[in-house]
Short mmCIF file of all heavy atoms in Angstrom, two decimals:
data_model
loop_
_atom_site.label_atom_id
_atom_site.label_comp_id
_atom_site.label_asym_id
_atom_site.label_seq_id
_atom_site.Cartn_x
_atom_site.Cartn_y
_atom_site.Cartn_z
N SER B 60 122.92 92.66 85.82
CA SER B 60 122.13 93.64 86.53
C SER B 60 120.75 92.94 86.88
O SER B 60 120.16 93.39 87.82
CB SER B 60 122.13 94.96 85.89
OG SER B 60 121.47 94.75 84.66
N THR B 61 120.32 91.92 86.12
CA THR B 61 119.10 91.25 86.50
C THR B 61 119.27 90.34 87.61
O THR B 61 118.52 90.25 88.57
CB THR B 61 118.62 90.48 85.23
OG1 THR B 61 118.38 91.34 84.05
CG2 THR B 61 117.23 89.80 85.59
N VAL B 62 120.41 89.72 87.76
CA VAL B 62 120.83 88.95 88.92
C VAL B 62 120.91 89.96 90.18
O VAL B 62 120.35 89.70 91.32
CB VAL B 62 122.22 88.22 88.91
CG1 VAL B 62 122.71 87.85 90.12
CG2 VAL B 62 121.96 86.97 87.90
N LEU B 63 121.50 91.14 89.96
CA LEU B 63 121.57 92.18 90.91
C LEU B 63 120.10 92.59 91.48
O LEU B 63 119.83 92.66 92.76
CB LEU B 63 122.20 93.42 90.43
CG LEU B 63 122.76 94.45 91.41
CD1 LEU B 63 123.67 93.81 92.36
CD2 LEU B 63 123.28 95.66 90.54
N LEU B 64 119.23 92.74 90.54
CA LEU B 64 117.85 93.05 90.87
C LEU B 64 117.28 91.85 91.69
O LEU B 64 116.56 92.11 92.66
CB LEU B 64 117.05 93.21 89.56
CG LEU B 64 115.57 93.18 89.66
CD1 LEU B 64 115.02 94.36 90.48
CD2 LEU B 64 114.94 93.46 88.22
N TRP B 65 117.55 90.67 91.35
CA TRP B 65 117.03 89.49 91.98
C TRP B 65 117.59 89.53 93.50
O TRP B 65 116.88 89.30 94.46
CB TRP B 65 117.40 88.33 91.30
CG TRP B 65 116.62 87.02 91.78
CD1 TRP B 65 117.07 86.11 92.59
CD2 TRP B 65 115.44 86.60 91.33
NE1 TRP B 65 116.23 85.14 92.78
CE2 TRP B 65 115.06 85.41 91.93
CE3 TRP B 65 114.48 87.14 90.46
CZ2 TRP B 65 113.89 84.76 91.74
CZ3 TRP B 65 113.32 86.52 90.20
CH2 TRP B 65 112.98 85.36 90.88
N LEU B 66 118.91 89.94 93.57
CA LEU B 66 119.48 89.86 94.96
C LEU B 66 118.90 90.94 95.78
O LEU B 66 118.78 90.86 96.97
CB LEU B 66 121.07 90.12 94.82
CG LEU B 66 121.76 88.89 94.25
CD1 LEU B 66 123.15 89.32 93.81
CD2 LEU B 66 121.89 87.79 95.21
N ALA B 67 118.51 92.09 95.22
CA ALA B 67 117.92 93.12 95.96
C ALA B 67 116.48 92.60 96.46
O ALA B 67 116.18 92.85 97.63
CB ALA B 67 117.58 94.38 95.01
N ARG B 68 115.78 91.90 95.60
CA ARG B 68 114.51 91.29 96.14
C ARG B 68 114.79 90.44 97.26
O ARG B 68 113.97 90.24 98.23
CB ARG B 68 113.77 90.64 95.06
CG ARG B 68 113.44 91.71 93.96
CD ARG B 68 112.69 90.83 92.78
NE ARG B 68 111.24 90.74 92.97
CZ ARG B 68 110.49 89.77 92.45
NH1 ARG B 68 111.14 88.83 91.61
NH2 ARG B 68 109.26 89.70 92.64
N LYS B 69 115.93 89.62 97.15
CA LYS B 69 116.27 88.71 98.35
C LYS B 69 116.65 89.61 99.58
O LYS B 69 116.24 89.23 100.70
CB LYS B 69 117.50 88.01 97.95
CG LYS B 69 117.22 86.90 96.78
CD LYS B 69 117.52 85.54 97.48
CE LYS B 69 116.99 84.50 96.48
NZ LYS B 69 117.11 83.09 97.09
N ALA B 70 117.33 90.62 99.36
CA ALA B 70 117.84 91.48 100.54
C ALA B 70 116.59 91.97 101.18
O ALA B 70 116.63 92.09 102.49
CB ALA B 70 118.75 92.59 100.00
N PHE B 71 115.63 92.45 100.41
CA PHE B 71 114.54 93.11 101.03
C PHE B 71 113.26 92.29 100.96
O PHE B 71 112.19 92.84 100.90
CB PHE B 71 114.30 94.57 100.41
CG PHE B 71 115.54 95.30 100.35
CD1 PHE B 71 116.30 95.66 99.18
CD2 PHE B 71 116.12 95.76 101.57
CE1 PHE B 71 117.47 96.30 99.25
CE2 PHE B 71 117.33 96.55 101.53
CZ PHE B 71 117.96 96.71 100.39
N VAL B 72 113.44 90.98 101.15
CA VAL B 72 112.45 90.00 101.18
C VAL B 72 111.16 90.36 100.32
O VAL B 72 110.02 90.34 100.75
CB VAL B 72 111.92 89.68 102.66
CG1 VAL B 72 112.97 88.91 103.32
CG2 VAL B 72 111.82 90.98 103.50
N GLY B 73 111.50 90.43 98.89
CA GLY B 73 110.45 90.57 98.01
C GLY B 73 110.27 91.97 97.41
O GLY B 73 109.67 92.16 96.39
N HIS B 74 110.80 92.95 98.17
CA HIS B 74 110.65 94.29 97.67
C HIS B 74 111.96 94.89 97.05
O HIS B 74 113.02 94.34 97.31
CB HIS B 74 110.32 95.27 98.88
CG HIS B 74 108.98 94.84 99.74
ND1 HIS B 74 107.80 95.49 99.48
CD2 HIS B 74 108.85 93.85 100.61
CE1 HIS B 74 106.93 94.80 100.19
NE2 HIS B 74 107.49 93.88 100.89
N VAL B 75 111.77 95.96 96.38
CA VAL B 75 112.89 96.77 95.85
C VAL B 75 112.67 98.13 96.35
O VAL B 75 111.87 98.91 95.66
CB VAL B 75 113.09 96.59 94.32
CG1 VAL B 75 114.37 97.36 93.84
CG2 VAL B 75 113.17 95.19 93.90
N PRO B 76 113.30 98.60 97.45
CA PRO B 76 112.83 99.82 98.07
C PRO B 76 113.58 101.02 97.42
O PRO B 76 113.81 102.01 98.13
CB PRO B 76 113.21 99.59 99.49
CG PRO B 76 114.36 98.71 99.47
CD PRO B 76 114.19 97.75 98.30
N PHE B 77 114.07 100.99 96.25
CA PHE B 77 114.57 102.19 95.48
C PHE B 77 114.40 102.07 94.11
O PHE B 77 114.05 101.03 93.57
CB PHE B 77 116.09 102.22 95.82
CG PHE B 77 116.79 100.92 95.95
CD1 PHE B 77 117.00 100.12 94.71
CD2 PHE B 77 117.35 100.34 97.13
CE1 PHE B 77 117.73 98.88 94.86
CE2 PHE B 77 117.97 99.19 97.13
CZ PHE B 77 118.15 98.40 96.04
N PRO B 78 114.56 103.19 93.34
CA PRO B 78 114.34 103.17 91.88
C PRO B 78 115.39 102.39 91.19
O PRO B 78 116.49 102.40 91.49
CB PRO B 78 114.35 104.59 91.57
CG PRO B 78 114.47 105.42 92.74
CD PRO B 78 114.92 104.50 93.82
N LEU B 79 114.91 101.75 90.09
CA LEU B 79 115.86 101.13 89.08
C LEU B 79 116.09 102.09 88.00
O LEU B 79 115.18 102.78 87.60
CB LEU B 79 115.27 99.86 88.61
CG LEU B 79 115.15 98.79 89.63
CD1 LEU B 79 114.35 97.58 89.03
CD2 LEU B 79 116.52 98.23 90.04
N ILE B 80 117.23 102.32 87.47
CA ILE B 80 117.59 103.34 86.47
C ILE B 80 118.11 102.50 85.22
O ILE B 80 118.89 101.77 85.34
CB ILE B 80 118.72 104.27 87.00
CG1 ILE B 80 118.16 104.88 88.41
CG2 ILE B 80 118.91 105.29 86.01
CD1 ILE B 80 119.25 105.43 89.26
N HIS B 81 117.53 102.95 84.05
CA HIS B 81 118.04 102.45 82.84
C HIS B 81 118.45 103.63 81.94
O HIS B 81 117.63 104.57 81.89
CB HIS B 81 116.95 101.59 82.14
CG HIS B 81 117.41 101.21 80.71
ND1 HIS B 81 116.47 101.21 79.64
CD2 HIS B 81 118.59 100.79 80.37
CE1 HIS B 81 117.19 100.79 78.60
NE2 HIS B 81 118.47 100.49 78.95
N ILE B 82 119.72 103.56 81.49
CA ILE B 82 120.14 104.65 80.48
C ILE B 82 119.85 104.08 79.15
O ILE B 82 120.47 103.11 78.70
CB ILE B 82 121.65 104.91 80.71
CG1 ILE B 82 121.86 105.48 82.13
CG2 ILE B 82 122.08 105.97 79.62
CD1 ILE B 82 120.92 106.62 82.59
N ASP B 83 118.84 104.67 78.41
CA ASP B 83 118.38 104.17 77.12
C ASP B 83 119.25 104.91 76.09
O ASP B 83 119.04 106.08 75.85
CB ASP B 83 116.95 104.34 77.05
CG ASP B 83 116.43 103.61 75.94
OD1 ASP B 83 117.19 103.03 75.04
OD2 ASP B 83 115.17 103.49 75.75
N THR B 84 119.98 104.23 75.43
CA THR B 84 120.81 104.87 74.37
C THR B 84 119.91 104.92 73.00
O THR B 84 120.40 105.48 71.97
CB THR B 84 121.96 104.02 73.96
OG1 THR B 84 121.64 102.62 73.48
CG2 THR B 84 122.91 103.80 75.18
N HIS B 85 118.76 104.32 72.95
CA HIS B 85 117.84 104.24 71.84
C HIS B 85 118.42 103.42 70.78
O HIS B 85 117.86 103.35 69.66
CB HIS B 85 117.45 105.64 71.36
CG HIS B 85 116.57 106.42 72.29
ND1 HIS B 85 115.45 107.06 71.87
CD2 HIS B 85 116.78 106.57 73.58
CE1 HIS B 85 114.94 107.65 72.99
NE2 HIS B 85 115.68 107.38 74.02
N PHE B 86 119.55 102.66 70.98
CA PHE B 86 120.06 101.66 70.10
C PHE B 86 120.05 100.40 70.73
O PHE B 86 120.77 99.42 70.24
CB PHE B 86 121.56 102.11 69.56
CG PHE B 86 121.49 103.41 68.88
CD1 PHE B 86 121.99 104.55 69.31
CD2 PHE B 86 121.02 103.27 67.45
CE1 PHE B 86 121.94 105.67 68.56
CE2 PHE B 86 121.16 104.38 66.71
CZ PHE B 86 121.59 105.66 67.24
N LYS B 87 119.23 100.13 71.72
CA LYS B 87 119.17 98.85 72.36
C LYS B 87 118.21 97.95 71.41
O LYS B 87 117.48 98.36 70.76
CB LYS B 87 118.57 98.99 73.72
CG LYS B 87 119.24 99.80 74.76
CD LYS B 87 120.52 99.08 75.10
CE LYS B 87 121.35 99.94 75.96
NZ LYS B 87 122.73 99.46 76.28
N ILE B 88 118.54 96.60 71.58
CA ILE B 88 117.73 95.62 70.81
C ILE B 88 116.34 95.59 71.41
O ILE B 88 116.20 95.67 72.55
CB ILE B 88 118.46 94.33 70.99
CG1 ILE B 88 120.00 94.47 70.64
CG2 ILE B 88 117.85 93.26 70.16
CD1 ILE B 88 120.82 93.21 70.87
N PRO B 89 115.43 95.72 70.45
CA PRO B 89 114.01 95.92 70.97
C PRO B 89 113.49 94.87 72.01
O PRO B 89 112.78 95.22 72.96
CB PRO B 89 113.11 95.76 69.67
CG PRO B 89 114.03 96.13 68.72
CD PRO B 89 115.46 95.73 69.14
N GLU B 90 113.93 93.63 71.95
CA GLU B 90 113.56 92.57 72.91
C GLU B 90 113.85 93.03 74.34
O GLU B 90 113.25 92.70 75.39
CB GLU B 90 114.30 91.29 72.71
CG GLU B 90 113.53 90.40 71.61
CD GLU B 90 114.33 90.48 70.32
OE1 GLU B 90 114.64 91.69 69.90
OE2 GLU B 90 114.53 89.49 69.60
N MET B 91 115.05 93.75 74.44
CA MET B 91 115.51 94.23 75.79
C MET B 91 114.46 95.14 76.44
O MET B 91 114.16 95.07 77.66
CB MET B 91 116.86 94.87 75.65
CG MET B 91 117.89 93.94 75.19
SD MET B 91 119.44 94.73 74.86
CE MET B 91 119.96 95.36 76.53
N ILE B 92 113.90 96.12 75.57
CA ILE B 92 113.04 97.02 76.14
C ILE B 92 111.65 96.38 76.49
O ILE B 92 111.05 96.64 77.54
CB ILE B 92 112.63 98.20 75.16
CG1 ILE B 92 114.10 98.85 74.71
CG2 ILE B 92 111.76 99.22 75.66
CD1 ILE B 92 114.79 99.52 75.69
N GLN B 93 111.25 95.43 75.62
CA GLN B 93 109.91 94.65 75.97
C GLN B 93 110.14 93.85 77.32
O GLN B 93 109.23 93.92 78.15
CB GLN B 93 109.68 93.69 74.82
CG GLN B 93 109.17 94.40 73.50
CD GLN B 93 109.41 93.46 72.28
OE1 GLN B 93 109.61 92.22 72.44
NE2 GLN B 93 109.34 94.06 71.22
N TYR B 94 111.38 93.21 77.40
CA TYR B 94 111.54 92.44 78.56
C TYR B 94 111.56 93.43 79.91
O TYR B 94 111.13 92.98 80.88
CB TYR B 94 112.92 91.77 78.40
CG TYR B 94 113.63 91.21 79.66
CD1 TYR B 94 113.37 89.99 80.12
CD2 TYR B 94 114.66 92.01 80.27
CE1 TYR B 94 113.92 89.46 81.22
CE2 TYR B 94 115.23 91.43 81.32
CZ TYR B 94 114.95 90.17 81.83
OH TYR B 94 115.56 89.58 82.91
N ARG B 95 112.20 94.53 79.70
CA ARG B 95 112.32 95.52 80.91
C ARG B 95 110.84 95.83 81.33
O ARG B 95 110.57 95.70 82.46
CB ARG B 95 112.84 96.89 80.26
CG ARG B 95 112.98 97.86 81.40
CD ARG B 95 113.48 99.23 80.74
NE ARG B 95 112.36 99.85 80.01
CZ ARG B 95 112.67 100.89 79.20
NH1 ARG B 95 113.86 101.38 79.08
NH2 ARG B 95 111.66 101.38 78.48
N ASP B 96 110.00 96.22 80.39
CA ASP B 96 108.61 96.62 80.77
C ASP B 96 107.80 95.54 81.31
O ASP B 96 106.91 95.71 82.13
CB ASP B 96 108.04 97.45 79.64
CG ASP B 96 108.74 98.75 79.21
OD1 ASP B 96 109.53 99.09 80.12
OD2 ASP B 96 108.47 99.16 78.18
N ARG B 97 108.08 94.25 80.83
CA ARG B 97 107.28 93.27 81.46
C ARG B 97 107.67 92.95 82.84
O ARG B 97 106.78 92.77 83.71
CB ARG B 97 107.71 91.95 80.50
CG ARG B 97 106.93 90.70 81.01
CD ARG B 97 107.08 89.55 80.10
NE ARG B 97 108.36 89.00 79.86
CZ ARG B 97 109.07 88.13 80.63
NH1 ARG B 97 108.35 87.72 81.70
NH2 ARG B 97 110.22 87.56 80.47
N LEU B 98 109.04 92.92 83.08
CA LEU B 98 109.36 92.76 84.51
C LEU B 98 109.00 93.94 85.37
O LEU B 98 108.74 93.80 86.61
CB LEU B 98 110.90 92.53 84.67
CG LEU B 98 111.38 91.14 84.66
CD1 LEU B 98 110.88 90.28 83.45
CD2 LEU B 98 112.90 90.89 84.85
N VAL B 99 108.97 95.15 84.86
CA VAL B 99 108.56 96.37 85.62
C VAL B 99 107.17 96.11 86.18
O VAL B 99 106.84 96.38 87.35
CB VAL B 99 108.73 97.67 84.79
CG1 VAL B 99 107.98 98.79 85.48
CG2 VAL B 99 110.14 97.99 84.67
N ARG B 100 106.28 95.61 85.20
CA ARG B 100 104.92 95.36 85.61
C ARG B 100 104.73 94.23 86.58
O ARG B 100 104.17 94.30 87.62
CB ARG B 100 104.05 95.10 84.37
CG ARG B 100 103.69 96.32 83.57
CD ARG B 100 102.71 96.07 82.45
NE ARG B 100 103.16 95.16 81.51
CZ ARG B 100 103.82 95.46 80.43
NH1 ARG B 100 104.09 96.72 80.16
NH2 ARG B 100 104.27 94.63 79.51
N GLU B 101 105.46 93.09 86.24
CA GLU B 101 105.32 91.89 87.10
C GLU B 101 105.81 92.08 88.46
O GLU B 101 105.29 91.72 89.43
CB GLU B 101 106.10 90.77 86.37
CG GLU B 101 105.28 90.17 85.32
CD GLU B 101 106.03 89.13 84.52
OE1 GLU B 101 107.11 88.71 85.04
OE2 GLU B 101 105.61 88.69 83.44
N MET B 102 106.98 92.83 88.57
CA MET B 102 107.68 92.90 89.90
C MET B 102 107.23 94.30 90.53
O MET B 102 107.74 94.62 91.71
CB MET B 102 109.20 92.84 89.75
CG MET B 102 109.70 91.51 89.14
SD MET B 102 111.42 91.55 89.12
CE MET B 102 111.64 89.86 88.41
N LYS B 103 106.36 95.05 89.91
CA LYS B 103 105.94 96.37 90.33
C LYS B 103 107.20 97.23 90.77
O LYS B 103 107.32 97.70 91.92
CB LYS B 103 105.03 96.20 91.48
CG LYS B 103 103.78 95.35 91.21
CD LYS B 103 102.74 95.69 92.28
CE LYS B 103 101.34 95.10 91.95
NZ LYS B 103 101.27 93.97 90.98
N LEU B 104 108.06 97.31 89.80
CA LEU B 104 109.22 98.07 90.04
C LEU B 104 109.06 99.56 89.87
O LEU B 104 108.35 100.03 89.10
CB LEU B 104 110.37 97.61 89.10
CG LEU B 104 110.70 96.09 89.29
CD1 LEU B 104 111.60 95.61 88.07
CD2 LEU B 104 111.33 95.72 90.53
N ASN B 105 109.90 100.34 90.56
CA ASN B 105 109.94 101.76 90.49
C ASN B 105 111.02 102.11 89.44
O ASN B 105 112.21 102.00 89.69
CB ASN B 105 110.24 102.41 91.84
CG ASN B 105 110.42 103.83 91.75
OD1 ASN B 105 110.23 104.50 90.78
ND2 ASN B 105 110.68 104.50 92.98
N MET B 106 110.61 102.37 88.16
CA MET B 106 111.56 102.35 87.03
C MET B 106 111.78 103.73 86.47
O MET B 106 110.68 104.34 86.21
CB MET B 106 110.97 101.44 85.91
CG MET B 106 111.97 101.25 84.87
SD MET B 106 113.14 100.07 85.17
CE MET B 106 114.56 100.74 84.30
N LEU B 107 113.02 104.20 86.41
CA LEU B 107 113.33 105.47 85.85
C LEU B 107 114.17 105.25 84.61
O LEU B 107 115.07 104.35 84.55
CB LEU B 107 114.17 106.26 86.72
CG LEU B 107 113.58 106.84 87.99
CD1 LEU B 107 114.53 107.62 88.87
CD2 LEU B 107 112.39 107.88 87.59
N VAL B 108 113.92 106.00 83.59
CA VAL B 108 114.69 105.93 82.21
C VAL B 108 115.17 107.35 81.94
O VAL B 108 114.55 108.22 81.94
CB VAL B 108 113.76 105.37 81.14
CG1 VAL B 108 114.61 105.34 79.82
CG2 VAL B 108 113.31 103.97 81.46
N GLY B 109 116.54 107.38 81.64
CA GLY B 109 117.19 108.55 81.17
C GLY B 109 117.94 108.39 79.80
O GLY B 109 118.22 107.23 79.57
N ALA B 110 118.15 109.43 79.17
CA ALA B 110 118.86 109.30 77.93
C ALA B 110 119.42 110.71 77.58
O ALA B 110 119.13 111.63 78.18
CB ALA B 110 117.85 109.07 76.73
N ASN B 111 120.47 110.76 76.78
CA ASN B 111 121.10 111.92 76.17
C ASN B 111 120.34 112.42 74.97
O ASN B 111 120.72 112.08 73.95
CB ASN B 111 122.58 111.71 75.84
CG ASN B 111 123.30 113.03 75.51
OD1 ASN B 111 122.66 113.99 75.22
ND2 ASN B 111 124.71 112.95 75.55
#
Side-chain angles (χ1 to χ4, degrees):
Chain B
S60 59
T61 304
V62 162
L63 193 62
L64 165 61
W65 196 262
L66 288 165
R68 300 175 84 202
K69 288 245 172 187
F71 308 111
V72 282
H74 300 264
V75 184
F77 37 68
L79 294 170
I80 303 154
H81 173 223
I82 300 307
D83 193 350
T84 62
H85 291 225
F86 291 106
K87 296 289 175 191
I88 308 168
E90 278 100 315
M91 295 169 70
I92 304 297
Q93 290 157 15
Y94 165 85
R95 178 189 74 191
D96 293 345
R97 178 167 67 84
L98 262 59
V99 165
R100 281 190 296 275
E101 286 174 7
M102 299 180 182
K103 300 203 170 19
L104 302 171
N105 179 359
M106 186 77 219
L107 287 178
V108 176
N111 187 342

